[in-house]
Amino acid sequence: MSAPLGQAWRLLNQGEDQLGADFYYRTFAFAGPKTQVHTTLIHHLGNQQASKAILYVHGYTDYFFQAGLAQHFVDQGYRFYAVDLQGYGRSIRPSTPPNWCDSVEQYSQDLDIALATMKQDGVEQVVILAHSTGGLVVSTYLAHPYALPERESHYQMPFPEVIGLMLNSPFLALPFPPAVLNRISWPIRILVSALPFSYLRAKKITTYATTLHCRFGGEWDYRLDWKPAEGFNLSFHWLREIILAQRNLAQQSLSIPTLFCHSKISTIGKDSVVETQQGDGVLDVDSMKQAAEKSFTNLTEVVIDKGFHDLYLSHETAREEYLQAMDNWLAQLTTTK
C-alpha cells in the first residue's frame, strides 16, 4: 500500500467543473507505477449536509459527464460524487497513454483518495455505482484482502462505510457467449501475454458510439477527445490485466449488497444503429450474468429491456426503468442500514 496521507497524494487544483456551477472538481496528484499520475473527484453541490452519498465510477474510454444522473440522486436526498480515474477524462496527462494501466489494482488508490475525501466532506456511508470496466475496478477493490480499519490505520484518517454496490453492465467477462468464452480464454491470454507492447489501432467509429453522440444523431453531447467515437488504441497489456482481474474476481465471494442491472440482450456486431440500440452493443449479457452470479452472494438482478451498454444513456423509457430500479433497491438497502 501507499504512504500515509501527507505523502500519498496532494491536491493540485480545484474549482467549478466544466459541467457548470452545480459541480465542483478536485484534482489530486500521486505516484503511479512509473510516473506521477492524477485523479479527479467531481461532486454535485446539492445536499451538502447529507451523510449518505453515491460515488460513480466510469467505464473504459469514458469519463463522467452525466449531469442528469447526478441531479437524479441529489433529488433523492443523496450527495453525489464521481471520479475520473487516472488516465481518463479530466485526469488524462501527456506523460502516460490514455486508459493505460499496469494492473487493475492500481486504481485502488484513486478510490482511496475519493473515499477519504468524501469522508473529509462529512459523508458517512457510500453506495458505489460502477459502469462497465468500472464495475471490474470497483469489484476488485472491494474484494481486496485489506479491510477498512487497515486502510484507516495506514492513511491515518477515517474512511466512510461502503454499504452497497450498483453495477451498470459490468465488464466481468470478455464479450463472448459463455460456450465460446470457455474455448478461447486461454488462447487470448497466451496471445496478449506474448505481445504485451502491441496495440490494436483505433481507426473506425464504432456503431455503439453513433447511437450515443449528438454529432451522429444520438442525444448526448460529450467530449470526443476524452471519449472518442473510434475508441483509444487497445493495449494488449491492458487486455491481459483485464483478463487477469476477471479471473481473480471469479475466485472471490463478495457479500456486499449488490444491484446488477443489464440489458435484456446483446447486440454486439450489429451493423445498423437501430439494431444496436435494441440491447448491449458492447458486452455479452449471458457471460456478464454468469460471472456476476459466481462472484456476488447478495445479488439483485434487474433486466432493462432495450437498455444500451451504458443503461443511463439508453432511450428515455429504458433509462427511466433503470433509474427506478436503482431507487427501489436503494430504498430497501437504506431501511436496513
Side-chain angles (χ1 to χ4, degrees), residues 153-208:
S153 174
H154 177 83
Y155 290 114
Q156 300 178 9
M157 66 182 306
F159 276 58
E161 180 187 10
V162 178
I163 62 171
L165 174 62
M166 299 189 293
L167 296 173
N168 169 6
S169 308
F171 186 19
L172 305 181
L174 295 180
F176 302 98
V180 175
L181 187 60
N182 290 337
R183 293 199 306 270
I184 67 174
S185 289
W186 272 106
I188 289 178
R189 289 180 61 192
I190 292 171
L191 173 64
V192 298
S193 295
L195 302 169
F197 301 108
S198 298
Y199 287 83
L200 289 178
R201 298 297 174 184
K203 298 179 180 179
K204 183 180 178 182
I205 294 175
T206 67
T207 305
Y208 177 61

Side-chain angles (χ1 to χ4, degrees), residues 32-70:
K34 296 183 176 66
T35 184
Q36 179 178 267
V37 293
H38 301 82
T39 189
T40 306
L41 185 66
I42 310 101
H43 75 272
H44 192 289
L45 295 176
N47 298 334
Q48 290 300 291
Q49 302 307 312
S51 62
K52 293 183 179 180
I54 305 295
L55 173 62
Y56 178 81
V57 183
H58 59 75
Y60 181 70
T61 311
D62 206 357
Y63 74 101
F64 175 68
F65 62 90
Q66 299 90 331
L69 179 67

Side-chain angles (χ1 to χ4, degrees), residues 116 142 151 157 179 199 218 288 292 323:
L142 295 176
R151 289 206 302 274
M157 66 182 306
Y199 287 83
M288 183 195 307
L323 291 172

Side-chain angles (χ1 to χ4, degrees), residues 24 110 150 159 256:
Y24 196 83
D110 297 71
E150 294 175 25
F159 276 58
I256 185 170

